[in-house]
């Protein structure tokens, strides 16, 4: 594991993108940052620009207008970057699966590394997903070595 | 003024334009009017009686379509709705945007999702649907069929 990957594991910075979410998942993200769950102990912090972020956190069912925009955001993310799909909507569109405006699930638009199911997922589920993401990064970097 | 007084004033003034009145509750009154009378009834309610234009809604009820214009009287907590039935062969109605700006976006949205055309609308562009959406496909109509061949409609499990 080189220095860059070690630094990455210590402080994953997260950019949150809402693609037509109902705001319930977004509230749970804020919940994660409160002292009760305290996700900053993993070095995570929400940042305001994708160019500063290592993780793209997507909530909401991807609408037709959002598809080109989320592709553009994914292209702007500095690599190595990871995508976390959060909530039933971005996993499989949930109750909007037959909607005229939601033709594709998120993982057919951009590659997704970690799925966090739930409507909305509890903060504990999100922390579990993030720990899995850290383990995945560790495993891939050691495998490369 | 009470809602019943407003209703009496409207029924006296527009006797030949009103088709029917339905009082859902004392504060929620539906008035069905003729299509030609829309602008003069609505402008009387908006300018003379001082109601607030809340929103408009379009409904596809299978054999015909309806446009509903909701007006709120904030001081007496009453909502008046003007209902216009539209034949599916002639989906054309007068626009209210030249008279008040609040009708602009809801008329643009109704046009693209239901296909009702608004006469004399000054700026009829697309509002919400994406740019690659085909012309003449209206997603909220009852007879809407899937047009996108690339859409995936199963959960993959």
């Amino acid at each position: 594991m080189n220095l860059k990957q070690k630094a990455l594991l210590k402080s994953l910075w997260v950019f949150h993108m809402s693609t037509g979410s109902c705001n319930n998942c977004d509230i749970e993200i804020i919940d994660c940052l409160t002292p009760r769950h305290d996700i900053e102990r993993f070095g995570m912090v929400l940042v305001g620009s994708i160019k500063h972020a290592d993780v793209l956190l997507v909530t909401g069912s991807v609408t037709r207008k959002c598809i080109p925009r989320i592709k553009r955001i994914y292209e702007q993310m500095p690599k190595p970057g990871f995508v976390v799909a959060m909530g039933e909507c971005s996993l499989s569109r949930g109750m909007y699966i037959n909607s005229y405006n939601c033709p594709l699930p998120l993982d057919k638009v951009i590659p997704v590394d970690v799925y966090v199911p739930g409507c909305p997922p509890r903060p504990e589920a999100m922390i579990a997903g993030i720990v899995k993401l850290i383990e995945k990064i560790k495993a891939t970097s050691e495998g490369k070595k | 003024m009470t809602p019943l007084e407003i209703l009496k004033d409207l029924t006296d003034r527009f006797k030949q334009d009103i088709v029917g009145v339905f009082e859902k509750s004392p504060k929620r009154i539906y008035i069905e009017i003729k299509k030609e009378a829309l602008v003069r009834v609505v402008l009387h309610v908006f300018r003379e009686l001082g109601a607030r234009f809340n929103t408009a809604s379009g409904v596809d009820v299978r054999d015909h379509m309806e446009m509903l214009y909701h007006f709120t009287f904030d001081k007496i907590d009453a909502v008046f709705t003007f209902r216009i039935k539209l034949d599916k062969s002639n989906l054309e109605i007068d626009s209210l945007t030249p008279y008040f700006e609040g009708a602009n976006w809801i008329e643009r949205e109704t046009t693209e999702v239901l296909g009702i055309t608004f006469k004399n609308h000054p700026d009829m562009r697309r509002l919400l649907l994406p740019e690659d959406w085909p012309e003449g496909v209206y997603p909220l109509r009852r007879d809407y069929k899937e047009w996108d061949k690339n859409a995936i409609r199963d959960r993959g499990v």
Side-chain angles (χ1 to χ4, degrees):
Chain A
M1 194 184 294
N2 59 27
L3 184 68
K4 215 164 128 191
Q5 278 158 345
K6 205 165 181 180
L8 181 66
L9 287 180
K10 289 284 179 198
S11 64
L12 286 168
W13 282 12
V14 181
F15 176 75
H16 168 219
M17 183 181 180
S18 170
T19 57
S21 160
C22 70
N23 272 24
N24 218 336
C25 290
D26 311 352
I27 295 286
E28 295 296 314
I29 291 169
I30 305 296
D31 228 23
C32 270
L33 295 165
T34 55
R36 180 181 285 263
H37 301 288
D38 193 19
I39 208 162
E40 290 195 11
R41 68 197 143 120
F42 298 106
M44 286 182 191
V45 83
L46 279 182
V47 291
S49 166
I50 186 66
K51 296 186 179 172
H52 302 161
D54 306 304
V55 176
L56 173 61
L57 178 61
V58 184
T59 59
S61 51
V62 186
T63 56
R64 272 183 205 278
K65 273 202 165 178
C66 233
I67 287 174
R69 286 162 179 83
I70 196 167
K71 278 182 182 161
R72 211 182 303 152
I73 290 232
Y74 181 73
E75 282 162 12
Q76 288 176 11
M77 180 165 65
K79 309 288 183 299
F82 306 94
V83 180
V84 179
M86 181 183 162
E88 200 60 50
C89 283
S90 47
L91 266 65
S92 70
R93 290 159 288 164
M95 63 188 282
Y96 303 105
I97 188 158
N98 288 319
S99 164
Y100 66 91
N101 214 13
C102 306
L104 295 172
L106 177 68
D107 55 0
K108 302 281 188 226
V109 181
I110 55 173
V112 176
D113 293 286
V114 175
Y115 300 86
V116 184
C119 186
R122 291 184 65 83
E124 290 90 337
M126 284 169 61
I127 293 169
I130 281 153
V131 170
K132 283 212 175 92
L133 175 66
I134 291 175
E135 279 168 10
K136 185 179 174 178
I137 301 169
K138 245 185 225 168
T140 49
S141 59
E142 278 162 7
K144 262 180 215 160
K145 203 178 171 187
Chain B
M1 271 221 281
T2 63
L4 285 180
E5 283 169 11
I6 295 174
L7 179 62
K8 188 168 181 309
D9 172 61
L10 286 174
T11 43
D12 289 346
R13 193 181 290 263
F14 300 106
K15 212 173 282 164
Q16 69 280 17
D17 298 331
I18 290 177
V19 181
V21 176
F22 169 57
E23 284 180 55
K24 195 173 188 309
S25 79
K27 291 180 173 177
R28 189 83 176 83
I29 296 172
Y30 290 79
I31 303 172
E32 187 180 334
I33 56 175
K34 286 178 187 160
K35 193 162 95 171
E36 309 80 51
L38 170 72
V39 172
R40 62 172 175 271
V41 174
V42 156
L43 282 189
H44 175 73
V45 173
F46 187 73
R47 287 187 182 154
E48 310 300 326
L49 301 181
R52 183 165 64 85
F53 175 62
N54 197 329
T55 188
S57 39
V59 193
D60 184 354
V61 280
R62 288 209 167 80
D63 52 336
H64 63 271
M65 292 218 196
E66 283 178 0
M67 277 302 292
L68 302 148
Y69 294 89
H70 311 282
F71 283 85
T72 314
F73 292 87
D74 288 329
K75 283 190 182 137
I76 56 171
D77 291 341
V79 179
F80 275 66
T81 295
F82 297 96
R83 183 204 306 268
I84 293 169
K85 284 184 181 165
L86 293 170
D87 211 29
K88 277 206 173 176
S89 56
N90 182 20
L91 291 171
E92 207 177 48
I93 192 166
D94 286 321
S95 171
L96 295 178
T97 313
Y99 310 105
F100 41 87
E101 187 61 27
N104 188 352
W105 279 17
I106 187 67
E107 287 184 350
R108 279 167 66 186
E109 189 184 350
T110 312
T111 303
E112 62 185 8
V113 297
L114 279 175
I116 297 171
T117 40
F118 291 89
K119 267 186 289 184
N120 304 327
H121 192 289
D123 180 27
M124 188 49 81
R125 282 174 294 137
R126 234 172 218 184
L127 180 65
L128 294 175
L129 287 183
E131 291 77 21
D132 57 347
W133 188 270
E135 291 288 330
V137 179
Y138 303 109
L140 292 194
R141 280 198 187 175
R142 294 278 179 186
D143 55 358
Y144 170 72
K145 292 272 188 321
E146 175 90 59
W147 58 271
D148 192 355
K149 299 280 184 294
N150 299 318
I152 300 170
R153 298 294 179 202
D154 68 281
R155 293 180 199 275
V157 287

